[in-house]
Amino acid sequence: IMTVILTVISACRTELVGADTLQFCQAFRELNAGGIADQGGRSLEPGFQFLCRFLGILSTDAQILIIATSLFCVPILMYSIYKNSSDVSLSVYLFIAFNFFSFEMNAMRQVLAICIILLGVELFLKKGRRILFAGTILAASLFHSSAIIMLVLLVFDRFPARSSFCWGSVIFGGVGYLLCPAIFSVAVSVLGYSLYVGTDFTQSNYFGAVFQMLVPLCILLVVTALLASAESPRRSLSFTKASANSCLSLKEGRSLFDMAPLYNSACVTFIASLMAMRISLFSRFQNYFQFFALILIPDALHLAEPRFASLMKWTIVIMSLIYWLIVAIYRPEWFAVVPYQSIFGL
């Protein structure tokens, strides 16, 4: 039911809902008028251009781009939650409260890349087909070049989740913060982000970045505390290497798997959020890993001591609601989905 509701909301939004939706619709019109779509002088990725041209055969109305991407992305995101989360209702709630649904209605190209990667996780990574999964990431990079960073998922299960990783993330995040300019120079040359040099994306945004950093920080600290409260050896934070037929969750009846990829994703999310305080462009890398928190949090609650887990669950629910309200009321321009406008004028 929620999949249908969220898909309809996303598909029926106007071009003005989502900070970047309008520019993607303009690119659609330019491409189908025989022009060259770019983003501030940088050509859009070939996968997205092909999608726009293909949809242009069906209709010249840019609304078809919004509808098609919504029909593709929202069901995949919801399916990944359903397939992997040990508490689907909580994950769906966090999907909205953590503004990931708002992100889906904003960053069209990047969400397409994330969904392609999630398909690769289900079809290939879970079955140990790492080469095919790497090919999936390369396919995702045709829609957003930054997706190439997700190649690290190929090695995440090689590093067992340990509480020391939490503090290691703080150290690496601090080093990353200091080395941001050098790392950004590499990103410019490898990913072709030269158009962002000298723009707002390369500036420090301490209020916004610090506020956004609090989410991955709290997730990392809460999950570490939950896993540390585990009682039995099966609930230990120090897990062994994943089995060959591993999956990304601890959902009962769906193959138990160690927490390494999920916990390590939380660590990387926090590191990227620290670096985004220096250069806000790094928040784009953060977005790829943050989705896995929707699965990690319920799994950590499932493993933890029951009374402590119940307390933390309600804390997470309340704090995430406060976070959503603050963004919606005081920083609506971050996602530009509030106030919502539909094609039906509602």
Side-chain angles (χ1 to χ4, degrees):
I1 294 176
M2 285 302 300
T3 299
V4 174
I5 293 174
L6 295 178
T7 300
V8 170
I9 292 174
S10 180
C12 293
R13 73 188 191 272
T14 68
E15 297 179 9
L16 301 178
V17 176
D20 295 335
T21 304
L22 180 59
Q23 67 169 294
F24 296 136
C25 290
Q26 290 174 339
F28 172 89
R29 285 187 282 266
E30 290 172 6
L31 285 166
N32 287 288
I36 299 176
D38 60 44
Q39 187 181 30
R42 172 176 176 264
S43 295
L44 295 174
E45 287 82 354
F48 184 75
Q49 292 195 38
F50 174 81
L51 175 64
C52 289
R53 294 184 189 277
F54 174 77
L55 293 175
I57 298 174
L58 305 177
S59 173
T60 57
D61 188 344
Q63 189 66 34
I64 193 174
L65 178 64
I66 297 176
I67 294 173
T69 53
S70 298
L71 290 174
F72 177 75
C73 293
V74 177
I76 289 177
L77 294 168
M78 291 294 100
Y79 177 77
S80 182
I81 288 174
Y82 168 76
K83 189 74 173 177
N84 298 294
S85 177
S86 55
D87 188 340
V88 174
S89 59
L90 176 61
S91 292
V92 172
Y93 169 80
L94 294 176
F95 176 76
I96 299 171
F98 282 162
N99 277 313
F100 209 94
F101 181 51
S102 297
F103 174 71
E104 185 276 332
M105 292 191 286
N106 174 28
M108 186 182 294
R109 288 163 43 239
Q110 192 169 15
V111 174
L112 282 168
I114 291 172
C115 290
I116 292 171
I117 292 170
L118 291 177
L119 282 177
V121 169
E122 296 296 331
L123 296 175
F124 303 125
L125 186 59
K126 284 185 178 183
K127 300 174 182 178
R129 299 175 180 175
R130 295 174 181 269
I131 295 178
L132 291 175
F133 178 67
T136 303
I137 295 176
L138 294 178
S141 68
L142 295 177
F143 290 85
H144 205 287
S145 58
S146 61
I148 201 72
I149 195 175
M150 293 302 281
L151 286 171
V152 299
L153 284 180
L154 293 170
V155 298
F156 266 9
D157 63 346
R158 307 293 182 181
F159 299 93
R162 301 181 185 279
S163 57
S164 58
F165 283 20
C166 175
W167 315 120
S169 298
V170 175
I171 297 174
F172 277 106
V175 173
Y177 177 86
L178 296 174
L179 299 179
C180 253
I183 298 173
F184 177 70
S185 298
V186 174
V188 166
S189 59
V190 174
L191 300 178
Y193 279 174
S194 57
L195 72 103
Y196 294 114
V197 175
T199 66
D200 291 340
F201 286 101
T202 61
Q203 305 302 315
S204 301
N205 178 18
Y206 288 105
F207 172 79
V210 169
F211 184 72
Q212 293 282 44
M213 181 268 294
L214 291 177
V215 175
L217 174 61
C218 290
I219 290 173
L220 186 59
L221 293 177
V222 167
V223 168
T224 300
L226 286 168
L227 296 178
S229 73
E231 296 178 316
S232 67
R234 172 179 171 275
R235 294 179 173 180
S236 172
L237 178 58
S238 300
F239 288 87
T240 58
K241 188 185 298 183
S243 62
N245 188 30
S246 61
C247 73
L248 280 180
S249 82
L250 294 163
K251 189 168 186 176
E252 294 294 349
R254 300 230 171 133
S255 175
L256 293 178
F257 173 56
D258 68 49
M259 301 288 288
L262 298 175
Y263 188 77
N264 293 338
S265 292
C267 294
V268 172
T269 302
F270 172 67
I271 292 172
S273 69
L274 274 179
M275 296 171 67
M277 292 174 57
R278 186 81 177 270
I279 298 179
S280 60
L281 185 67
F282 283 100
S283 63
R284 297 196 172 194
F285 299 109
Q286 171 186 342
N287 295 327
Y288 288 102
F289 299 97
Q290 195 152 345
F291 177 81
F292 295 115
L294 306 179
I295 302 168
L296 173 63
I297 292 173
D299 282 355
L301 290 168
H302 173 77
L303 290 170
E305 191 275 324
R307 286 179 296 180
F308 182 62
S310 178
L311 172 63
M312 295 308 299
K313 178 178 180 178
W314 285 107
T315 301
I316 292 169
V317 167
I318 295 171
M319 296 305 295
S320 60
L321 176 60
I322 293 174
Y323 166 75
W324 188 90
L325 290 172
I326 290 175
V327 173
I329 296 172
Y330 296 105
R331 286 293 184 271
E333 69 277 8
W334 284 357
F335 298 101
V337 299
V338 178
Y340 175 83
Q341 301 177 49
S342 77
I343 55 177
F344 304 109
L346 301 177

